[in-house]
């Protein structure tokens, strides 16, 4: 908290050479409890990094790049570690300017699309949570003509809903937000991919709403005749 503003070179070195490399371990602290090594110190690590970003938000680019580089490779898959890293990303993106967002756009969206294509409901929910961050929605709006065509196939794989109802509800919300920020690109993308035009996203939302309305009826006790 006693940092100078702007940060000195030595302070920036602490972030780059000491703190960010702490994301590297892929080992387990406890395999039985599915606790990665990172979980032992993740909260204080995130807190320390945020102190740097509060003083110099432009360092968010370096922090995000470091987090993205330290996702476990497929052969060392670790959903718990990936969830911790995705949480950090959702926090760090709040410090990005539109110009900074353009810098990290490609690797960030590669990670987002990878999670959406993973069939892992936990990872899918974690990246869909990004769209609950209003600043992230505003950032994506600046690149909507690129992001909407990129996102649609991953959100609606082959035009079908996902097996997890929570993911489906979150996908419906994201679709609504994508359509709101750029209706023209959304409509043209749906038309080219699915032949559904602007109404495709609305159809997904309506189907989810219908599913939610049916559940209480199905669970209601039957009166004796």
């Amino acid at each position: 908290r006693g940092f100078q503003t702007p940060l000195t070179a030595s302070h920036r070195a602490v972030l780059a050479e000491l703190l960010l490399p702490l994301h590297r371990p892929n080992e387990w602290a406890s395999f039985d409890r599915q606790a990665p090594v990172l979980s032992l110190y993740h909260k204080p690590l995130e807190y320390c990094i945020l102190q740097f970003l509060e003083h110099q938000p432009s360092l968010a680019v370096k922090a995000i790049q470091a987090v993205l580089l330290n996702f476990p490779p497929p052969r060392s898959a670790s959903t718990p570690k990936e969830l911790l890293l995705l949480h950090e990303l959702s926090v760090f993106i709040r410090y990005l300017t539109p110009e900074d967002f353009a810098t990290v756009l490609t690797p960030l969206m590669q990670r987002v699309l990878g999670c959406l294509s993973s069939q892992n409901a936990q990872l899918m929910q974690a990246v869909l949570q990004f769209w609950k961050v209003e600043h992230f929605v505003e950032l994506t709006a600046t690149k909507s003509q690129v992001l909407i065509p990129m996102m649609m196939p991953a959100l609606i794989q082959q035009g079908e809903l996902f097996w997890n109802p929570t993911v489906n509800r979150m996908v419906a919300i994201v679709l609504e937000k994508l359509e709101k920020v750029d209706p023209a690109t959304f409509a043209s993308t749906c038309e080219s991919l699915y032949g559904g035009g602007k109404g495709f996203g609305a159809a997904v939302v309506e189907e989810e709403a219908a599913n939610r309305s049916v559940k209480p009826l199905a669970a209601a006790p039957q009166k004796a005749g």
Side-chain angles (χ1 to χ4, degrees):
R1 291 180 177 271
F3 295 146
Q4 298 178 10
T5 303
L7 297 178
T8 64
S10 60
H11 284 146
R12 294 194 298 272
V14 170
L15 175 67
E17 299 174 17
L18 296 180
L19 295 179
L20 295 179
L22 290 174
H23 293 94
R24 288 176 185 164
N26 289 322
E27 294 78 17
W28 296 95
S30 172
F31 184 78
D32 291 343
R33 296 183 180 181
Q34 291 289 284
V37 168
L38 180 61
S39 67
L40 299 178
Y41 52 83
H42 181 256
K43 286 185 178 180
L45 174 60
E46 180 183 304
Y47 175 81
C48 289
I49 294 172
L50 286 176
Q51 302 314 301
F52 285 85
L53 303 190
E54 288 287 343
H55 285 78
Q56 192 169 331
S58 62
L59 290 173
V61 170
K62 186 178 293 291
I64 288 172
Q65 290 172 334
V67 170
L68 290 170
L69 285 173
N70 285 290
F71 272 78
R75 67 178 182 276
S76 304
S78 170
T79 295
K81 180 182 178 181
E82 291 179 80
L83 291 174
L84 293 175
L85 297 180
L86 289 171
H87 170 74
E88 278 192 80
L89 291 176
S90 72
V91 175
F92 297 162
I93 58 180
R94 301 166 196 257
Y95 294 86
L96 292 175
T97 64
E99 294 75 20
D100 291 337
F101 181 63
T103 300
V104 300
L105 177 63
T106 298
L108 178 62
M109 295 313 299
Q110 285 176 343
R111 177 55 55 187
V112 168
L113 294 174
C115 291
L116 290 176
S117 303
S118 68
Q119 301 298 308
N120 183 322
Q122 289 181 289
L123 297 182
M124 295 176 77
Q125 290 176 46
V127 294
L128 292 170
Q129 291 276 3
F130 288 8
W131 274 264
K132 289 187 175 182
V133 179
E134 189 59 35
H135 184 59
F136 181 73
V137 175
E138 293 171 356
L139 291 173
T140 58
T142 66
K143 297 291 183 181
S144 60
Q145 293 183 350
V146 174
L147 289 177
I148 290 177
M150 187 186 300
M151 290 292 300
M152 289 298 295
L155 288 170
I156 307 296
Q157 299 178 28
Q158 299 179 348
E160 298 180 357
L161 293 174
F162 189 62
W163 61 267
N164 183 287
T166 300
V167 169
N168 289 331
R169 287 192 290 271
M170 297 178 74
V171 165
I173 292 170
V174 172
L175 287 171
E176 287 183 312
K177 292 187 176 184
L178 292 176
E179 186 171 17
K180 183 177 180 180
V181 299
D182 192 341
T185 300
F186 185 89
S188 63
T189 301
C190 289
E191 181 65 37
S192 64
L193 289 174
Y194 310 111
K198 181 179 178 180
F200 183 78
V204 174
V205 176
E206 289 171 4
E207 184 167 350
E208 257 313 301
N211 290 339
R212 292 198 296 272
S213 66
V214 167
K215 289 179 181 178
L217 294 175
Q222 300 293 323
K223 294 183 180 180

